[in-house]
Amino acid sequence: MGKYILRRLLGMIPVLFIISVLLFSLVQAVPGDAFTQQLNPHVDHKYIEEMREKFGLDKSPIEQYFIWLKNFMQGEFGISFKNKLPVSELISDRVGNTVFLAVITLIITYLLAIPIGIYSANRPYTLMDNTITTFSFIGLSLPTFFGALLAIYIFSFNLEWFPSSGTMTAGAGYTGFRLLLDKLHHVILPATTLAVLSVASYTRYIRSSVLEAKRQDYVRTAYAKGLPRKVVMRKHVLRNALMPLITFFGLDLGSLFAGAVLTETVFTWPGLGRLIFESTVNRDYPVMMACYMIIAISILLGNLIADILYSKADPRVRYD
Amino acid sequence: MSHLLEVKNLCKYFPIKSGFLKRTVRTVKAVDDVTFYVKKGETFGLVGESGCGKSTTGRAILRLIEPTSGEVWFDGNNIAELPKSQLRKARRHMQMVFQDPYASLNPQMSVAELIEEPLKVHQMYASAKERKEKVLEIAETVGLNRSQIDRYPHEFSGGQRQRIGIARALSLQPKLIIADEPVSALDVSIQSQVINLMEDLQEEFGLTYIFIAHDLSVVKHISDRVGVMYLGRMVEMGTKHEIYDEGAHPYTQALLSAVPIPNPKLRRERIVLKGDVPNPANPPTGCAFHPRCPKAFERCKQERPQLTHLGGEHYVACHLYDNESIGHRGKG
């Protein structure tokens, strides 16, 4: 197992290299740079040239890439063009918020999707099942930003149940448990908005997975043994049907750090998603590259974790 | 000898639903008015071609699918009418071995867990230790050794898996085992091993079998009595000797003539049936076999034949043999 993990980790190096080249090319392909956009047109051209020189933008793209690569491998993400702050500082300020939002979203997703999916599968083609299916499709086809705006309109403006922005009440100075409650109060609206989309797809998936498991021969065998329905469901149907969720879970782990660009922006949630949005608007290359690389690494690691968990859970899957 | 199992007028109809309102437009009569009995300690073979309702009959007896109507008397109870809670307990005494040894074992459970599970549910043994000991014993009875018991189904061959399936069924010490094509998914050499194992176990534990198969030679080998099914109906029933040597129904005769014989020099007349098995959703009137029957006459198209006693334990559902037709036969 140790060998397998090592092999997978080593395999990530070339993948990351290719991803970084692609990302760097894409970022460079956009015409102009941070300074053409940002600075006052009346500012002296010489000053802009000086700034470009200072941040190394006067060099050829290939040269720039290798400078970036060398720094990146040394754990040096560079300085943001816009804030003139180290990128690592910007990211570490935001990453906690993003992970908090993502974890709450995941919890809401699983708590809703698994019971709804199983309920649906146990009563296929009934009125209730069809209703759930209909709502799943509505959830799937609703754009996130629209859902977010709708949620803010209903639950913040009209009902005033939840705040529409921020991660905590500014200036309240809460500590300890009170602070946690305050944070939860702020996270529920964006997290639920994000969860609606994944609940919809998870529900569909779990429903079909459970339905398929129920048709299996070994389920009939279990009934023939004289097992009660509950035991058949738990030990034979669900144990097999929910196995593929591990793969989903791994992908979700990867997206923990990716942030939700649109949702974070609509809710002015200071996370990585919004950082990506802001840095893209400002052509802030060092920030963009660092964020994209973090996403790439976390998705690769999430996949690896899913594969490891799968081999632990399913006796048919073994890695040596 | 008493009858361990008596099946009376068993029917299983599957509705075909269609249209927006899901109205039942037709029904498939998978099992239609089937009556037979099984004696304690014997093997009753059930034969017929694919789709004739043999498997459905087996499953309807155990109520793995709900029968539409009819009675199933087992051990003094009408299984068809038992409430669910009692049905579950009754299943202890009647177990099933399934056709596909690959799909019928839960891939997530080790062999030990698979065999132990029913023992746990039915609380057969007082202590876990006693139960585990029993699991080992059963596994050894079917020829698995102790070191293999913690492995998972995918690590075994088809024949071994079928032994696991048999061990599982056996662990509850049932009175009746319904074996639904237990060897048809196996290689011929493995088939005989499994058949021999089943025979040994029958002798050792006094088991009663219903053996469902389409392989007539296998059924001949293992059965004491045989029932022949066609299109959801029992067309003939009798001892092995009565069926194989004195088969009365034209369908039985045709089936038997199709069994390959080992001697290539021996010539015999094969009865080749015309056409295909009719659609069970739209079965022929009268005797279901009449469109393919070489001996059919007018009455077969109109009237459905009932099982007639031919003497001994031999019953046949054919107008050639019931009293009203004897005159016709004389003329023909």
Side-chain angles (χ1 to χ4, degrees):
Chain A
M1 192 57 148
K3 251 188 191 168
Y4 170 77
I5 295 172
L6 190 70
R7 206 165 56 222
R8 284 283 298 264
L9 287 174
L10 287 176
M12 285 180 190
I13 294 172
V15 176
L16 281 173
F17 176 74
I18 294 168
I19 291 174
S20 74
V21 171
L22 288 175
L23 285 174
F24 202 88
S25 319
L26 275 177
V27 169
Q28 289 282 342
V30 184
D33 60 37
F35 300 103
T36 38
Q37 193 175 37
Q38 218 180 61
L39 294 176
N40 188 330
H42 301 298
V43 169
D44 193 1
H45 266 277
K46 250 176 87 184
Y47 175 70
I48 295 180
E49 287 311 318
E50 269 171 34
M51 290 300 279
R52 285 197 173 130
E53 217 165 298
K54 191 181 161 200
F55 285 95
L57 291 178
D58 56 336
K59 298 193 173 70
S60 77
I62 297 175
E63 230 173 311
Q64 284 186 46
Y65 173 74
F66 282 103
I67 294 170
W68 172 85
L69 186 65
K70 192 179 137 233
N71 291 334
F72 183 80
M73 299 223 294
Q74 289 166 347
E76 186 59 57
F77 295 170
I79 308 281
S80 159
F81 293 164
K82 182 166 184 257
N83 310 342
K84 313 290 186 293
L85 286 169
V87 174
S88 48
E89 205 171 294
L90 281 176
I91 286 176
S92 60
D93 278 353
R94 306 273 187 123
V95 76
N97 288 329
T98 286
V99 170
F100 181 60
L101 175 61
V103 168
I104 300 292
T105 306
L106 267 191
I107 293 173
I108 295 175
T109 305
Y110 286 125
L111 281 183
L112 289 178
I114 295 175
I116 295 176
I118 295 170
Y119 178 93
S120 229
N122 281 333
R123 297 161 188 75
Y125 315 114
T126 58
L127 181 65
M128 205 50 207
D129 176 43
N130 288 335
T131 311
I132 290 169
T133 304
T134 309
F135 275 100
S136 297
F137 281 121
I138 292 175
L140 274 175
S141 38
L142 205 65
T144 333
F145 62 87
F146 181 75
L149 289 172
L150 199 67
I152 289 177
Y153 180 71
I154 296 173
F155 296 103
S156 292
F157 283 130
N158 287 344
L159 298 171
E160 292 183 14
W161 286 357
F162 302 101
S164 66
S165 65
T167 59
M168 57 181 124
T169 313
Y174 294 129
T175 48
F177 185 62
R178 195 69 190 74
L179 178 69
L180 181 71
L181 277 185
D182 188 47
K183 282 196 152 192
L184 281 175
H185 190 218
H186 280 79
V187 82
I188 283 189
L189 213 47
T192 312
T193 312
L194 279 175
V196 164
L197 187 82
S198 33
V199 166
S201 58
Y202 271 67
T203 305
R204 298 299 303 154
Y205 185 79
I206 292 168
R207 175 182 178 275
S208 61
S209 186
V210 171
L211 267 183
E212 196 190 306
K214 284 175 80 170
R215 274 201 303 268
Q216 294 298 316
D217 280 7
Y218 55 76
V219 171
R220 198 176 53 212
T221 311
Y223 280 115
K225 282 175 181 175
L227 261 52
R229 216 187 80 90
K230 270 186 187 163
V231 180
V232 176
M233 277 304 283
R234 201 182 60 229
K235 285 186 71 178
H236 295 267
V237 177
L238 294 184
R239 205 162 138 188
N240 283 287
L242 299 184
M243 194 68 68
L245 282 188
I246 293 173
T247 309
F248 281 59
F249 179 69
L251 293 175
D252 285 338
L253 275 187
S255 66
L256 272 185
F257 297 94
V261 176
L262 288 173
T263 312
E264 287 189 359
T265 307
V266 175
F267 285 97
T268 46
W269 185 265
L272 285 182
R274 225 178 99 206
L275 187 63
I276 290 172
F277 177 75
E278 287 163 1
S279 62
T280 309
V281 169
N282 295 320
R283 311 270 168 80
D284 202 344
Y285 304 155
V287 181
M288 284 164 82
M289 281 305 292
C291 288
Y292 294 146
M293 289 309 285
I294 288 175
I295 294 173
I297 292 171
S298 60
I299 285 174
L300 288 176
L301 285 178
N303 274 320
L304 175 61
I305 291 171
D307 286 348
I308 294 170
L309 287 178
Y310 217 110
S311 77
K312 296 282 175 219
D314 191 332
R316 284 168 299 181
V317 181
R318 283 279 173 270
Y319 306 118
D320 308 301
Chain B
M1 256 204 256
S2 58
H3 295 173
L4 180 68
L5 178 79
E6 250 179 273
V7 176
K8 287 182 186 163
N9 310 103
L10 187 71
C11 295
K12 176 65 199 179
Y13 299 164
F14 292 104
I16 301 176
K17 291 184 176 168
S18 169
F20 181 67
L21 293 171
K22 300 272 179 260
R23 269 182 314 147
T24 304
V25 286
R26 271 182 303 183
T27 50
V28 173
K29 298 183 174 180
V31 177
D32 194 8
D33 203 14
V34 165
T35 298
F36 65 98
Y37 57 87
V38 180
K39 290 186 282 190
K40 210 170 156 61
E42 75 169 351
T43 299
F44 182 77
L46 209 49
V47 293
E49 45 200 312
S50 306
C52 72
K54 356 181 250 298
S55 289
T56 309
T57 305
R59 285 174 197 170
I61 291 171
L62 295 184
R63 265 176 72 187
L64 288 174
I65 47 178
E66 287 295 324
T68 307
S69 64
E71 296 169 22
V72 178
W73 289 92
F74 175 79
D75 232 14
N77 290 317
N78 184 1
I79 298 292
E81 277 172 4
L82 276 186
K84 290 257 172 193
S85 57
Q86 282 181 48
L87 173 69
R88 220 168 50 66
K89 292 188 181 112
R91 280 189 177 148
R92 213 199 100 180
H93 302 290
M94 25 196 241
Q95 283 294 303
M96 190 147 186
V97 174
F98 294 98
Q99 172 174 14
D100 186 346
Y102 291 91
S104 59
L105 301 172
N106 186 342
Q108 303 287 336
M109 292 166 85
S110 71
V111 174
E113 287 174 311
L114 284 166
I115 301 178
E116 190 182 356
E117 191 180 33
L119 301 181
K120 245 188 216 167
V121 175
H122 294 285
Q123 295 166 350
M124 299 267 290
Y125 298 94
S127 71
K129 194 170 166 275
E130 210 179 326
R131 199 170 58 220
K132 297 224 152 61
E133 202 45 53
K134 190 71 196 169
V135 170
L136 276 178
E137 195 187 307
I138 295 161
E140 278 175 355
T141 314
V142 300
L144 298 166
N145 55 44
R146 277 166 188 262
S147 61
Q148 291 174 317
I149 198 150
D150 287 318
R151 295 198 193 157
Y152 288 87
H154 71 276
E155 295 171 87
F156 292 91
S157 68
Q160 285 173 316
R161 288 189 202 200
Q162 200 54 291
R163 288 161 187 270
I164 297 168
I166 293 171
R168 199 218 76 235
L170 207 62
S171 64
L172 289 169
Q173 297 163 15
K175 293 173 185 160
L176 174 71
I177 290 186
I178 299 183
D180 183 6
E181 308 235 17
V183 295
S184 55
L186 305 176
D187 285 350
V188 178
S189 57
I190 308 294
Q191 283 190 5
S192 57
Q193 279 181 23
V194 171
I195 297 277
N196 288 341
L197 173 70
M198 287 184 71
E199 286 182 314
D200 293 345
L201 295 172
Q202 181 169 41
E203 204 168 308
E204 194 175 335
F205 299 105
L207 296 168
T208 306
Y209 288 142
I210 294 180
F211 193 95
I212 300 169
H214 58 252
D215 185 329
L216 291 164
S217 337
V218 170
V219 170
K220 185 180 183 181
H221 177 80
I222 197 169
S223 305
D224 299 302
R225 285 190 314 120
V226 177
V228 182
M229 284 184 76
Y230 183 79
L231 219 64
R233 297 169 191 182
M234 187 73 87
V235 295
E236 187 167 4
M237 187 165 78
T239 62
K240 176 158 71 178
H241 166 73
E242 284 160 349
I243 297 293
Y244 281 84
D245 301 335
E246 297 163 11
H249 198 284
Y251 178 63
T252 311
Q253 289 165 356
L255 268 188
L256 289 173
S257 82
V259 176
I261 35 174
N263 185 350
K265 284 184 186 144
L266 211 61
R267 297 258 164 217
R268 77 176 160 182
E269 202 186 331
R270 291 231 354 222
I271 308 168
V272 179
L273 293 177
K274 300 169 290 193
D276 285 322
V277 182
N279 180 358
N282 189 17
T285 54
C287 173
F289 187 58
H290 86 256
R292 303 172 76 194
C293 183
K295 297 177 186 164
F297 50 97
E298 199 49 39
R299 196 175 154 213
C300 301
K301 289 179 196 163
Q302 285 144 15
E303 200 183 320
R304 182 171 164 177
Q306 300 300 315
L307 274 182
T308 315
H309 192 199
L310 291 184
E313 297 196 67
H314 203 170
Y315 295 85
V316 66
C318 179
H319 288 311
L320 290 173
Y321 301 96
D322 57 20
N323 293 329
E324 288 173 50
S325 304
I326 300 291
H328 169 91
R329 223 171 15 142
K331 270 184 268 166

